[in-house]
Amino acid sequence: MNQDFDAYLHNHRAEHLDELTTLLRFPSISTLSEHAVDVVRCAEHLAELARTIGFENIQLLQTARHPVLYADWLHAEGKPTVLVYGHYDVQPVDPLHLWETPPFEPTIRDGKIYARGASDDKGQVFMHLKSFEALMKTTGSLPVNVKLCIEGEEEIGSPNLPSVLNDHKDLFAADVLVISDTTILGPNRPSVCYGLRGLAALQVDLYGAKGDLHSGLYGGSIQNPLHAMVELLASLHDKSGVIQVKGFYDDVEAISQEEQDAFAKLAPDDAKLADSLGLPELFGEAGYTTLERQWVRPTLELNGVYGGFQGEGTKTVIPNSAHAKITCRLVPNQDPVDIQRKIQQHLKDNAPLGIRVEVTLQDTGKPYVTPFDHPTIQLASKAYAKAYGTAAAFTRMGGSIPIVEAFAGVLDIPVVLMGFGLDTENFHAPNEHFTLDNFDKGLRALCYYWLGLEEALQSGQAAKSE
């Protein structure tokens, strides 16, 4: 049977890449209202793909913004049910001039497919559909029951999915959740992600005079909001990278020695990493390794600082406002709302004289960690090993998928993060791409996973009852 699905995938590869190209052409940018119709059209296209494979009960569950695609195949009597989550929305494409080829005109070159959404997350969602198709076409059925939950708002923080899950608990009920929206360690270095950092976002606006003022007439006699912003933002860290917000680290727990030892085995060469990023050296919170900083330590980053004259040449003006965008990546036990409020208080307490401070609390997402000795996690490692020919490592990821914690909380099921992207694939940036070697091997890894899932879940239940 394994040979059958492998041959099917090999024989239909060109067809599958054509289908992926069609999916990637939809400019399903969820954050831009002018693309709302494109988002819906993309959801409808995925629904039709699912229908042609054999999925049933297909619905586009409406939300306040973009729909959630639900579909299922529930004919494996007495077998467990897997819920597959992904997203069909994508990030904006700015700056457009940095793209070598248009973002919604997919191009294959050097063994990679280039397009917005190629890696994050249309390419990986598409792999799930094709893995189920391969098993259906070669065996006539699936080894487990399957439900799909593919949303159109992940890139804007999944604001409506939690309410959809709460309103349709029975519809989405399953034994395990599998997500492919993460990365592996590197080319032919598969890895199973068992933890994600959370998210807390804020907007900071400083206001001075009622309007821009001549810097010669008023300079030196009033507060300049840009000066104030620089001073205020500098107060957030010390020179060694330690965050200075009162109480920021209160709920952070040290990782186990077992995890520290595992991270040490995976440690990158810091000098090589810096060189690959075009940096003279790395920098981060003192006292921690690079992987610890990236995976298990919280951060506070400035994502944008702006204000005043931005045009060519000089304009002798004191602007009346300055602005900054902040996001934090959080670790288990940190509450995103609590962190937002602590930062908000810090900004107000440390505001320079002569300005007004406004802080807007924005997106949040809770961190998530699952035990990496769970049988469904271990099965992922085995499936990777079969497809890639090398053992998979266990990692955490520095990024956030805010909805993961909501799924775990509402449905009370283990979550398996089984991604196939690479950190170098420019997701969220110009020239996003997906490596076709991981497309090919990932399809096979998923098929191995579905074939072994029933036994893994039975093993987990047996261990739980002992």
Side-chain angles (χ1 to χ4, degrees):
M1 181 164 60
N2 293 351
Q3 262 188 332
D4 291 341
F5 77 69
D6 188 79
Y8 179 86
L9 292 170
H10 175 78
N11 294 335
H12 290 80
R13 185 178 190 264
E15 176 188 333
H16 292 164
L17 289 177
D18 284 343
E19 292 177 4
L20 175 57
T21 295
T22 299
L23 177 61
L24 293 172
R25 286 198 179 105
F26 288 95
S28 50
I29 305 172
S30 54
T31 191
L32 301 179
S33 58
E34 60 262 37
H35 286 287
V37 172
D38 298 311
V39 176
V40 174
R41 287 177 58 239
C42 187
E44 292 171 343
H45 178 76
L46 277 171
E48 186 58 32
L49 279 179
R51 185 176 289 107
T52 61
I53 293 169
F55 282 91
E56 302 166 334
N57 301 313
I58 297 169
Q59 305 176 52
L60 290 181
L61 303 173
Q62 298 304 315
T63 73
R65 198 159 182 181
H66 304 307
V68 176
L69 169 62
Y70 173 84
D72 62 37
W73 187 91
L74 303 175
H75 299 289
E77 187 175 350
K79 307 287 187 179
T81 298
V82 59
L83 176 64
V84 172
Y85 165 81
H87 65 92
Y88 61 87
D89 65 321
V90 299
Q91 283 275 328
V93 298
D94 313 79
L96 187 59
H97 71 278
L98 294 180
W99 286 80
E100 294 181 23
T101 51
F104 296 110
E105 294 180 18
T107 304
I108 294 177
R109 58 182 187 271
D110 301 324
K112 303 165 186 174
I113 184 166
Y114 286 79
R116 173 59 88 228
S119 181
D120 182 19
D121 179 40
K122 288 181 183 178
Q124 301 196 59
V125 166
F126 182 79
M127 289 167 62
H128 279 278
L129 294 178
K130 294 295 115 173
S131 71
F132 293 128
E133 177 185 286
L135 293 175
M136 288 282 284
K137 293 291 186 181
T138 54
T139 69
S141 65
L142 296 177
V144 290
N145 297 296
V146 179
K147 296 180 178 181
L148 303 179
C149 176
I150 308 175
E151 69 155 325
E153 297 182 344
E154 194 273 346
E155 298 293 6
I156 53 174
S158 303
N160 293 299
L161 189 53
S163 62
V164 171
L165 294 177
N166 277 301
D167 292 343
H168 301 278
K169 283 184 182 179
D170 292 339
L171 188 66
F172 290 106
D175 297 293
V176 62
L177 172 66
V178 176
I179 300 175
S180 294
D181 192 17
T182 52
T183 59
I184 58 176
L185 281 173
N188 216 48
R189 294 185 67 197
S191 53
V192 185
C193 180
Y194 64 93
L196 297 162
R197 291 192 292 190
L199 179 71
L202 307 92
Q203 167 86 24
V204 186
D205 302 294
L206 303 188
Y207 296 98
K210 61 183 179 181
D212 291 356
L213 297 174
H214 191 289
S215 65
L217 296 178
Y218 292 95
S221 62
I222 66 168
Q223 179 65 272
N224 185 320
L226 288 176
H227 295 179
M229 181 64 82
V230 170
E231 179 183 341
L232 184 56
L233 296 180
S235 74
L236 292 168
H237 298 83
D238 68 13
K239 291 185 178 181
S240 63
V242 178
I243 296 165
Q244 298 299 293
V245 174
K246 184 178 180 180
F248 187 88
Y249 295 106
D250 283 357
D251 298 317
V252 177
E253 292 185 359
I255 62 171
S256 67
Q257 187 61 50
E258 182 182 11
E259 283 188 287
Q260 288 185 44
D261 293 343
F263 290 177
K265 294 177 182 177
L266 300 173
D269 183 314
D270 284 357
K272 286 184 178 179
L273 177 58
D275 184 65
S276 71
L277 297 172
L279 295 169
E281 60 189 61
L282 301 181
F283 175 79
E285 183 185 1
Y288 296 92
T289 67
T290 296
L291 286 186
E292 287 173 333
R293 293 168 182 165
Q294 292 177 339
W295 292 350
V296 297
R297 296 297 298 171
T299 69
L300 189 159
E301 299 289 353
L302 307 180
N303 307 122
V305 181
Y306 54 99
F309 178 63
Q310 305 290 315
E312 184 178 356
T314 300
K315 184 180 182 183
T316 54
V317 66
I318 298 174
N320 77 315
S321 63
H323 314 274
K325 295 180 181 293
I326 296 172
T327 54
C328 300
R329 300 291 178 167
L330 308 178
V331 297
N333 296 323
Q334 285 187 299
D335 178 0
V337 175
D338 175 61
I339 293 298
Q340 283 181 323
R341 289 172 178 163
K342 286 174 177 175
I343 296 171
Q344 181 181 43
Q345 192 62 50
H346 175 95
L347 293 169
K348 291 186 175 181
D349 289 345
N350 290 273
L353 297 174
I355 59 160
R356 177 168 54 89
V357 180
E358 290 188 5
V359 180
T360 304
L361 308 185
Q362 298 179 323
D363 297 345
T364 62
K366 292 184 178 180
Y368 178 80
V369 173
T370 191
F372 61 80
D373 60 353
H374 193 282
T376 58
I377 298 286
Q378 293 295 319
L379 174 63
S381 177
K382 295 173 184 176
Y384 276 122
K386 284 184 179 180
Y388 281 79
T390 185
F394 294 96
T395 69
R396 294 204 201 185
M397 192 176 87
S400 306
I401 307 177
I403 199 60
V404 168
E405 197 276 338
F407 268 115
V410 173
L411 302 180
D412 190 26
I413 55 177
V415 180
V416 180
L417 300 168
M418 196 173 175
F420 302 97
L422 296 173
D423 287 343
T424 55
E425 289 178 336
N426 288 4
F427 32 84
H428 293 204
N431 303 309
E432 179 181 349
H433 57 276
F434 191 33
T435 303
L436 294 183
D437 183 61
N438 286 326
F439 176 80
D440 295 330
K441 291 175 179 174
L443 280 166
R444 289 154 177 81
L446 288 170
C447 289
Y448 286 125
Y449 191 82
W450 309 136
L451 291 167
L453 186 55
E454 180 185 13
E455 182 180 347
L457 284 168
Q458 288 175 345
S459 172
Q461 290 169 353
K464 194 174 182 180
S465 63
E466 289 178 358

mmCIF file of all heavy atoms in Angstrom, residues 206 208 215 222-230 317-322 352-355:
data_model
loop_
_atom_site.group_PDB
_atom_site.id
_atom_site.type_symbol
_atom_site.label_atom_id
_atom_site.label_comp_id
_atom_site.label_asym_id
_atom_site.label_seq_id
_atom_site.Cartn_x
_atom_site.Cartn_y
_atom_site.Cartn_z
ATOM 1 N N LEU A 206 2.532 59.230 20.439
ATOM 2 C CA LEU A 206 2.901 60.380 21.260
ATOM 3 C C LEU A 206 2.474 61.664 20.542
ATOM 4 O O LEU A 206 2.700 61.802 19.333
ATOM 5 C CB LEU A 206 4.419 60.419 21.493
ATOM 6 C CG LEU A 206 5.076 59.197 22.133
ATOM 7 C CD1 LEU A 206 6.535 59.500 22.459
ATOM 8 C CD2 LEU A 206 4.334 58.745 23.383
ATOM 9 N N GLY A 208 2.457 66.023 20.699
ATOM 10 C CA GLY A 208 2.999 67.251 21.267
ATOM 11 C C GLY A 208 2.078 68.428 20.988
ATOM 12 O O GLY A 208 0.927 68.439 21.421
ATOM 13 N N SER A 215 11.059 74.529 13.246
ATOM 14 C CA SER A 215 12.080 74.128 14.220
ATOM 15 C C SER A 215 12.991 75.282 14.615
ATOM 16 O O SER A 215 13.665 75.216 15.644
ATOM 17 C CB SER A 215 12.915 72.979 13.652
ATOM 18 O OG SER A 215 13.653 73.403 12.512
ATOM 19 N N ILE A 222 10.152 73.522 23.216
ATOM 20 C CA ILE A 222 9.051 72.568 23.403
ATOM 21 C C ILE A 222 9.594 71.152 23.246
ATOM 22 O O ILE A 222 10.681 70.941 22.714
ATOM 23 C CB ILE A 222 7.910 72.791 22.390
ATOM 24 C CG1 ILE A 222 8.402 72.483 20.961
ATOM 25 C CG2 ILE A 222 7.346 74.198 22.481
ATOM 26 C CD1 ILE A 222 7.280 72.395 19.955
ATOM 27 N N GLN A 223 8.822 70.182 23.704
ATOM 28 C CA GLN A 223 9.204 68.776 23.552
ATOM 29 C C GLN A 223 8.963 68.323 22.110
ATOM 30 O O GLN A 223 7.921 68.595 21.522
ATOM 31 C CB GLN A 223 8.387 67.887 24.500
ATOM 32 C CG GLN A 223 8.663 66.409 24.419
ATOM 33 C CD GLN A 223 10.064 66.033 24.843
ATOM 34 O OE1 GLN A 223 10.981 66.036 24.032
ATOM 35 N NE2 GLN A 223 10.226 65.717 26.131
ATOM 36 N N ASN A 224 9.932 67.658 21.546
ATOM 37 C CA ASN A 224 9.801 67.078 20.209
ATOM 38 C C ASN A 224 9.331 65.633 20.370
ATOM 39 O O ASN A 224 10.025 64.814 20.978
ATOM 40 C CB ASN A 224 11.157 67.119 19.504
ATOM 41 C CG ASN A 224 11.096 66.639 18.070
ATOM 42 O OD1 ASN A 224 10.400 65.680 17.755
ATOM 43 N ND2 ASN A 224 11.854 67.301 17.194
ATOM 44 N N PRO A 225 8.154 65.275 19.846
ATOM 45 C CA PRO A 225 7.640 63.917 20.030
ATOM 46 C C PRO A 225 8.589 62.831 19.526
ATOM 47 O O PRO A 225 8.615 61.724 20.079
ATOM 48 C CB PRO A 225 6.333 63.921 19.236
ATOM 49 C CG PRO A 225 5.886 65.346 19.285
ATOM 50 C CD PRO A 225 7.152 66.148 19.188
ATOM 51 N N LEU A 226 9.383 63.139 18.491
ATOM 52 C CA LEU A 226 10.340 62.139 18.015
ATOM 53 C C LEU A 226 11.439 61.908 19.043
ATOM 54 O O LEU A 226 11.842 60.765 19.294
ATOM 55 C CB LEU A 226 10.950 62.583 16.687
ATOM 56 C CG LEU A 226 10.026 62.530 15.467
ATOM 57 C CD1 LEU A 226 10.743 63.092 14.246
ATOM 58 C CD2 LEU A 226 9.561 61.110 15.189
ATOM 59 N N HIS A 227 11.948 62.986 19.645
ATOM 60 C CA HIS A 227 12.945 62.827 20.711
ATOM 61 C C HIS A 227 12.345 62.022 21.864
ATOM 62 O O HIS A 227 12.990 61.137 22.436
ATOM 63 C CB HIS A 227 13.387 64.192 21.234
ATOM 64 C CG HIS A 227 14.110 65.023 20.227
ATOM 65 N ND1 HIS A 227 14.562 66.300 20.501
ATOM 66 C CD2 HIS A 227 14.469 64.775 18.943
ATOM 67 C CE1 HIS A 227 15.163 66.790 19.435
ATOM 68 N NE2 HIS A 227 15.117 65.881 18.477
ATOM 69 N N ALA A 228 11.110 62.366 22.214
ATOM 70 C CA ALA A 228 10.441 61.695 23.328
ATOM 71 C C ALA A 228 10.253 60.205 23.037
ATOM 72 O O ALA A 228 10.435 59.358 23.919
ATOM 73 C CB ALA A 228 9.102 62.353 23.608
ATOM 74 N N MET A 229 9.915 59.891 21.788
ATOM 75 C CA MET A 229 9.697 58.490 21.423
ATOM 76 C C MET A 229 10.998 57.699 21.531
ATOM 77 O O MET A 229 11.020 56.576 22.052
ATOM 78 C CB MET A 229 9.131 58.385 20.005
ATOM 79 C CG MET A 229 8.846 56.956 19.554
ATOM 80 S SD MET A 229 7.541 56.124 20.527
ATOM 81 C CE MET A 229 6.075 56.793 19.718
ATOM 82 N N VAL A 230 12.096 58.284 21.046
ATOM 83 C CA VAL A 230 13.386 57.602 21.138
ATOM 84 C C VAL A 230 13.741 57.321 22.589
ATOM 85 O O VAL A 230 14.173 56.212 22.949
ATOM 86 C CB VAL A 230 14.483 58.450 20.459
ATOM 87 C CG1 VAL A 230 15.858 57.871 20.752
ATOM 88 C CG2 VAL A 230 14.247 58.531 18.958
ATOM 89 N N VAL A 317 11.185 71.119 10.585
ATOM 90 C CA VAL A 317 9.902 71.045 11.277
ATOM 91 C C VAL A 317 10.034 70.214 12.544
ATOM 92 O O VAL A 317 10.847 69.292 12.621
ATOM 93 C CB VAL A 317 8.830 70.437 10.339
ATOM 94 C CG1 VAL A 317 9.156 68.984 10.026
ATOM 95 C CG2 VAL A 317 7.424 70.536 10.938
ATOM 96 N N ILE A 318 9.268 70.587 13.559
ATOM 97 C CA ILE A 318 9.078 69.749 14.744
ATOM 98 C C ILE A 318 7.709 69.098 14.593
ATOM 99 O O ILE A 318 6.687 69.783 14.652
ATOM 100 C CB ILE A 318 9.119 70.576 16.053
ATOM 101 C CG1 ILE A 318 10.487 71.239 16.217
ATOM 102 C CG2 ILE A 318 8.814 69.671 17.250
ATOM 103 C CD1 ILE A 318 10.547 72.184 17.399
ATOM 104 N N PRO A 319 7.660 67.802 14.341
ATOM 105 C CA PRO A 319 6.364 67.165 14.117
ATOM 106 C C PRO A 319 5.528 67.162 15.391
ATOM 107 O O PRO A 319 6.067 67.195 16.500
ATOM 108 C CB PRO A 319 6.737 65.748 13.691
ATOM 109 C CG PRO A 319 8.066 65.505 14.293
ATOM 110 C CD PRO A 319 8.778 66.837 14.285
ATOM 111 N N ASN A 320 4.230 67.105 15.198
ATOM 112 C CA ASN A 320 3.355 67.129 16.376
ATOM 113 C C ASN A 320 3.081 65.735 16.924
ATOM 114 O O ASN A 320 2.423 65.586 17.959
ATOM 115 C CB ASN A 320 2.025 67.813 16.038
ATOM 116 C CG ASN A 320 1.084 66.909 15.256
ATOM 117 O OD1 ASN A 320 1.497 66.242 14.314
ATOM 118 N ND2 ASN A 320 -0.170 66.886 15.647
ATOM 119 N N SER A 321 3.590 64.670 16.247
ATOM 120 C CA SER A 321 3.312 63.317 16.735
ATOM 121 C C SER A 321 4.413 62.346 16.326
ATOM 122 O O SER A 321 5.176 62.615 15.391
ATOM 123 C CB SER A 321 1.960 62.811 16.195
ATOM 124 O OG SER A 321 1.987 62.703 14.789
ATOM 125 N N ALA A 322 4.488 61.251 17.029
ATOM 126 C CA ALA A 322 5.402 60.152 16.711
ATOM 127 C C ALA A 322 4.705 58.846 17.073
ATOM 128 O O ALA A 322 3.854 58.821 17.985
ATOM 129 C CB ALA A 322 6.718 60.286 17.473
ATOM 130 N N PRO A 352 8.351 61.114 28.711
ATOM 131 C CA PRO A 352 9.033 62.395 28.919
ATOM 132 C C PRO A 352 8.018 63.532 29.083
ATOM 133 O O PRO A 352 6.865 63.424 28.653
ATOM 134 C CB PRO A 352 9.848 62.570 27.631
ATOM 135 C CG PRO A 352 10.035 61.171 27.118
ATOM 136 C CD PRO A 352 8.773 60.456 27.471
ATOM 137 N N LEU A 353 8.454 64.597 29.689
ATOM 138 C CA LEU A 353 7.589 65.747 29.899
ATOM 139 C C LEU A 353 7.199 66.381 28.568
ATOM 140 O O LEU A 353 7.929 66.311 27.584
ATOM 141 C CB LEU A 353 8.303 66.789 30.765
ATOM 142 C CG LEU A 353 8.661 66.367 32.198
ATOM 143 C CD1 LEU A 353 9.492 67.463 32.871
ATOM 144 C CD2 LEU A 353 7.391 66.093 32.991
ATOM 145 N N GLY A 354 6.026 66.996 28.562
ATOM 146 C CA GLY A 354 5.626 67.811 27.421
ATOM 147 C C GLY A 354 4.952 67.072 26.297
ATOM 148 O O GLY A 354 4.778 67.627 25.208
ATOM 149 N N ILE A 355 4.553 65.810 26.527
ATOM 150 C CA ILE A 355 3.833 65.070 25.497
ATOM 151 C C ILE A 355 2.658 64.324 26.118
ATOM 152 O O ILE A 355 2.592 64.124 27.325
ATOM 153 C CB ILE A 355 4.734 64.055 24.763
ATOM 154 C CG1 ILE A 355 5.315 63.046 25.752
ATOM 155 C CG2 ILE A 355 5.804 64.715 23.940
ATOM 156 C CD1 ILE A 355 5.803 61.784 25.098
#
